[in-house]
Amino acid sequence: MQPTVLIVPGLRDAVPLHWQTLLEARLRGSRRPVVSVPPMGRADLVCARRVAAIERVAQSADGPIVIVAHSGGVAMVVHWAMQTCRPVHGALLVTPPDLERPMPQAYPGVQALRKGGWLPLPHFRLPFHSIVAGSRNDPLASFGRVARMAQSWGSLLVDLGEVGHLNPASGYGDWPMADQLIERLVNGRCGVGASMAQQVCSNFA
């Protein structure tokens, strides 16, 4: 049985040219099972409601699931992983933001995120295989901080180079590499990433 791909967006509204939107359309076009958590914007910052939304969608899917989360969606998935009993085949966690440090003005502040239950961000080994894909020039997180997140979650760290936040604002729409990384998770070829993340972290200490 092919795993269902569960797409978890970040703190955004629906964006037609976002790579997650295009990925979902491509998967549906190829008749692969895919479900998605509806974008919830930035007005409602209650993390628990977003975690509950992931749980509803995850429980609605049959069989194994592979999660594809971007930006704030990564934080949502990590919080959700602490609470759920839903088995997960693997997770692709793309450009996680550093919520514990101030982000650009258009994004929520640290106090608002703490009030909404996003902080502290969980730093524990995830109970499923995962890949963290990080950018070298992400305005929402330094590569060193992303490497430390990957280490704490036991994830394989993939260096994407300079791709900004991997969103339309950074000049990115379709992202074919997502398909490759999903297949890596489906086929169980992500390995145990803590050692790789540890090596990268030592370079940014």
Side-chain angles (χ1 to χ4, degrees), residues 114-138:
R114 191 175 302 279
K115 183 178 179 181
W118 296 81
L119 298 173
L121 184 67
H123 293 283
F124 70 102
R125 191 175 188 85
L126 295 172
F128 42 77
H129 291 300
S130 58
I131 295 173
V132 169
S135 168
R136 291 273 177 174
N137 63 340
D138 190 342

Side-chain angles (χ1 to χ4, degrees), residues 5 14 18 20 33 43 46-47 62 64 66 70 86 93 104 114 117 127 144 161 174 179-180:
V5 175
H18 195 284
Q20 285 183 307
V46 178
C47 185
D62 294 326
V66 169
H70 176 251
R86 177 64 162 91
L93 309 173
R114 191 175 302 279
D174 198 15
D179 302 75
Q180 301 170 26

Side-chain angles (χ1 to χ4, degrees), residues 5-167:
V5 175
L6 193 169
I7 296 175
V8 183
L11 296 172
R12 63 173 176 83
D13 296 312
V15 180
L17 295 181
H18 195 284
W19 65 265
Q20 285 183 307
T21 309
L22 299 172
L23 172 66
E24 181 177 0
R26 187 163 63 251
L27 292 174
R28 291 191 188 282
S30 63
R31 298 185 180 277
R32 286 194 63 170
V34 57
V35 292
S36 62
V37 175
M40 299 173 69
R42 296 176 191 164
D44 181 1
L45 287 180
V46 178
C47 185
R49 283 201 271 271
R50 296 170 187 262
V51 168
I54 297 176
E55 181 70 6
R56 284 193 298 272
V57 176
Q59 295 294 353
S60 73
D62 294 326
I65 58 174
V66 169
I67 296 171
V68 178
H70 176 251
S71 189
V74 175
M76 292 160 57
V77 167
V78 175
H79 278 285
W80 172 76
M82 294 182 64
Q83 306 173 33
T84 189
C85 295
R86 177 64 162 91
V88 175
H89 188 79
L92 174 57
L93 309 173
V94 183
T95 57
D98 184 359
L99 302 182
E100 296 169 336
R101 297 187 180 184
M103 294 187 291
Q105 189 172 3
Y107 293 88
V110 173
Q111 288 187 343
L113 291 168
R114 191 175 302 279
K115 183 178 179 181
W118 296 81
L119 298 173
L121 184 67
H123 293 283
F124 70 102
R125 191 175 188 85
L126 295 172
F128 42 77
H129 291 300
S130 58
I131 295 173
V132 169
S135 168
R136 291 273 177 174
N137 63 340
D138 190 342
L140 273 62
S142 71
F143 190 76
R145 293 283 287 184
V146 171
R148 292 183 183 93
M149 289 183 231
Q151 179 188 8
S152 68
W153 299 333
S155 306
L156 175 70
L157 178 63
V158 173
D159 183 350
L160 300 179
E162 295 187 352
V163 297
H165 196 51
L166 200 67
N167 59 2

